[in-house]
Amino acid sequence: MHILDGHLPALTLGVGFALSGALLAATLPSLDRASPPRVAMVSSAFFVASLLRVPTFAGTSLHLSLVGLTGIVLGRAAFPAVVVGLLLQWLMFGHGGLTTLGVNATTQGVGALVAAAVFHGRLRGRAREPDAIPGRPVLRGALAGALGTASSLALYGAALLTAGEGLRNVAWACVAVHAPVLAIETALGASVVGFLLRARPELLTGPARPSVTASVPASEPS
């Protein structure tokens, strides 16, 4: 779901940078509450998964995005992680583009935020026990994977549609060929959440807020 340079009009590129910049500013504070090893681990998985791609046409490629799992594990901190992953992919491998970085960050980052909202029932970072996750966690994992990926696909198709009449059929075809990705991401959301509940349930609790302990001054000797 990466779009290369040279396919989108300037207005779409500008809107992409504006939206991604606003979302980045809103979600960056979440990194203060997130565990650095957790962010690094999930960002690495997102980075690698997006590199395993099958070229299609119109400057796009078919690959897993893991936006659902990124949102499930990182919550709001998923958006900065996605931006960093996309930037490194472009710098190191030329995957995506510089002018389309804002659009690509918006399409995939919004999908991760949707997945976070679906799984945790809210976007606000807050620690909780794994069994306090609303509803059935595995079912929510599947739904988060599905809706997160579907949201990214919808924005991806909408961005391509702005390229004009000549790419309209290509835009619909690009979304259609990603149907297998939607199915796989749904299955991954369910299976990985089920595994983490047994092996590492703390990865599903969301970023914890730092606790503030009030200091009590020592009493003066009389």
Side-chain angles (χ1 to χ4, degrees):
M1 288 185 284
H2 293 63
I3 303 176
L4 298 179
D5 294 323
H7 293 281
L8 299 179
L11 178 59
T12 302
L13 299 175
V15 171
F17 277 114
L19 289 176
S20 61
L23 288 171
L24 187 61
T27 55
L28 270 177
S30 300
L31 290 175
D32 294 337
R33 300 188 295 268
S35 166
R38 182 187 304 186
V39 175
M41 177 189 66
V42 177
S43 299
S44 299
F46 171 82
F47 178 84
V48 173
S50 297
L51 289 177
L52 304 176
R53 64 190 190 275
V54 178
T56 56
F57 42 80
T60 65
S61 58
L62 182 66
H63 59 79
L64 293 178
S65 65
L66 300 188
V67 294
L69 291 179
T70 303
I72 288 170
V73 177
L74 295 184
R76 286 179 55 137
F79 196 89
V82 167
V83 173
V84 171
L86 291 172
L87 180 60
L88 290 177
Q89 287 169 2
W90 172 73
L91 287 173
M92 298 176 66
F93 301 101
H95 192 21
L98 178 60
T99 62
T100 57
L101 179 61
V103 173
N104 289 329
T106 300
T107 58
Q108 299 190 49
V110 167
L113 292 180
V114 168
V118 169
F119 186 75
H120 294 286
R122 55 190 167 187
L123 281 177
R124 183 176 59 187
R126 187 174 179 180
R128 73 170 101 196
E129 295 299 323
D131 57 3
I133 297 172
R136 300 177 180 178
V138 173
L139 179 59
R140 279 186 167 262
L143 191 60
L147 293 183
T149 305
S151 300
S152 291
L153 280 174
L155 292 173
Y156 169 73
L160 288 176
L161 285 173
T162 65
E165 187 72 26
L167 285 182
R168 178 167 297 177
N169 291 334
V170 173
W172 289 113
C174 285
V175 173
V177 299
H178 279 81
V181 173
L182 178 60
I184 294 172
E185 299 264 5
T186 301
L188 277 176
S191 60
V192 174
V193 166
F195 171 77
L196 290 178
L197 282 173
R198 297 189 300 272
R200 296 291 301 276
E202 67 274 11
L203 293 179
L204 300 175
T205 58
R209 292 181 181 274
S211 59
V212 178
T213 303
S215 59
V216 180
S219 57
E220 294 289 339
S222 55

